[in-house]
């Protein structure tokens, strides 16, 4: 009878804590390999479940987050976009301040964001100046802002587009590979 190889990390650990005489017994080695595989699977499943409690790496657990926060689940949206909505909802509690708006809008990806208020005009301007163009999930950004900004205030959004100087400095190949929504037409 050939010696059973213990390949399971848990099986190796378990055989290591048994008295030495068991290391050479075929049945003991088979049992440690078999039980070790089961323990390895339980450990992997436990880690996967705990990972769902971390918004930044959650996948299938995003629907649980959305349900708990009262967000309508839309599986057609990518994980990063769904995570941004969840983070925004969590950050959006409390009295509306410029700092709170900055925090909520910053949970969406699109570079440097600046939130300014014009109290005399009853308006707020949210400027996306880091990345070019509007964020891919601008509707989610607008919904999050609308949910926390008082109704008497108007919200305006400003986006950064390629300037003439930037376009003039580009090669033909770079221009060919730049989508039209990155150019300013006004």
């Amino acid at each position: 009878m050939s010696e059973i190889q213990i390949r399971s990390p848990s099986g190796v650990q378990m055989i290591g804590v048994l008295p030495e005489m068991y290391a050479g017994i075929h049945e003991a080695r088979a049992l440690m390999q078999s039980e070790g595989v089961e323990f390895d699977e339980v450990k992997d499943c436990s880690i996967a479940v705990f990972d769902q409690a971390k918004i930044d790496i959650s996948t299938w657990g995003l629907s649980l987050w959305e349900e708990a926060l009262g967000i309508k689940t839309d599986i057609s949206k990518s994980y990063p976009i769904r995570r941004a909505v969840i983070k925004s909802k969590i950050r959006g509690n409390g009295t509306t301040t410029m700092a709170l708006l900055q925090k909520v809008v910053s949970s969406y990806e699109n570079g440097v964001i600046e939130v300014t208020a014009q109290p005399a005009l009853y308006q707020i301007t949210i400027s996306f100046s880091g990345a070019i163009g509007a964020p891919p999930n601008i509707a989610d950004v607008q919904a999050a802002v609308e949910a926390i900004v008082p109704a008497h205030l108007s919200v305006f959004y400003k986006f950064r587009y390629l300037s003439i100087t930037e376009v003039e400095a580009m090669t033909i190949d770079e221009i060919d590979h730049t989508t039209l929504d990155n150019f300013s037409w006004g």
Side-chain angles (χ1 to χ4, degrees), residues 118-182:
Q118 297 82 32
L121 300 173
Y122 296 98
Q123 74 182 35
I124 294 169
T125 303
I126 299 173
S127 303
F128 296 83
S129 59
I132 296 172
N137 55 343
I138 188 62
D140 293 326
V141 174
Q142 291 169 328
V145 169
E146 184 179 309
I148 60 174
V149 170
H152 71 285
L153 296 176
S154 298
V155 181
F156 295 93
Y157 298 88
K158 290 172 69 177
F159 308 103
R160 176 174 140 29
Y161 295 99
L162 291 170
S163 67
I164 292 174
T165 307
E166 290 172 311
V167 174
E168 287 175 343
M170 295 170 73
T171 66
I172 296 295
D173 190 52
E174 288 173 327
I175 292 173
D176 281 346
H177 290 91
T178 303
T179 58
L180 291 177
D181 62 336
N182 290 324

Side-chain angles (χ1 to χ4, degrees), residues 70-82:
I71 300 168
K72 186 175 184 279
T73 299
D74 183 354
I75 60 170
S76 68
K77 292 182 181 177
S78 68
Y79 289 146
I81 288 175
R82 290 173 66 195

Side-chain angles (χ1 to χ4, degrees), residues 39-173:
F39 280 120
D40 293 341
E41 287 179 15
V42 168
K43 179 181 173 189
D44 292 344
C45 288
S46 297
I47 290 170
V49 168
F50 282 118
D51 283 349
Q52 300 312 304
K54 303 172 191 164
I55 297 170
D56 290 329
I57 59 175
S58 182
T59 54
W60 57 265
L62 290 175
S63 60
L64 299 173
W65 280 100
E66 291 162 336
E67 182 182 348
L69 295 168
I71 300 168
K72 186 175 184 279
T73 299
D74 183 354
I75 60 170
S76 68
K77 292 182 181 177
S78 68
Y79 289 146
I81 288 175
R82 290 173 66 195
R83 288 180 187 124
V85 172
I86 291 166
K87 286 180 184 178
S88 170
K89 183 76 170 191
I90 290 170
R91 292 175 181 173
N93 293 327
T95 303
T96 303
T97 63
M98 291 302 108
L100 175 65
L101 276 172
Q102 178 78 36
K103 201 164 132 181
V104 167
V105 177
S106 293
S107 65
Y108 295 91
E109 297 177 23
N110 211 42
V112 179
I113 297 158
E114 182 182 349
V115 179
T116 54
Q118 297 82 32
L121 300 173
Y122 296 98
Q123 74 182 35
I124 294 169
T125 303
I126 299 173
S127 303
F128 296 83
S129 59
I132 296 172
N137 55 343
I138 188 62
D140 293 326
V141 174
Q142 291 169 328
V145 169
E146 184 179 309
I148 60 174
V149 170
H152 71 285
L153 296 176
S154 298
V155 181
F156 295 93
Y157 298 88
K158 290 172 69 177
F159 308 103
R160 176 174 140 29
Y161 295 99
L162 291 170
S163 67
I164 292 174
T165 307
E166 290 172 311
V167 174
E168 287 175 343
M170 295 170 73
T171 66
I172 296 295
D173 190 52

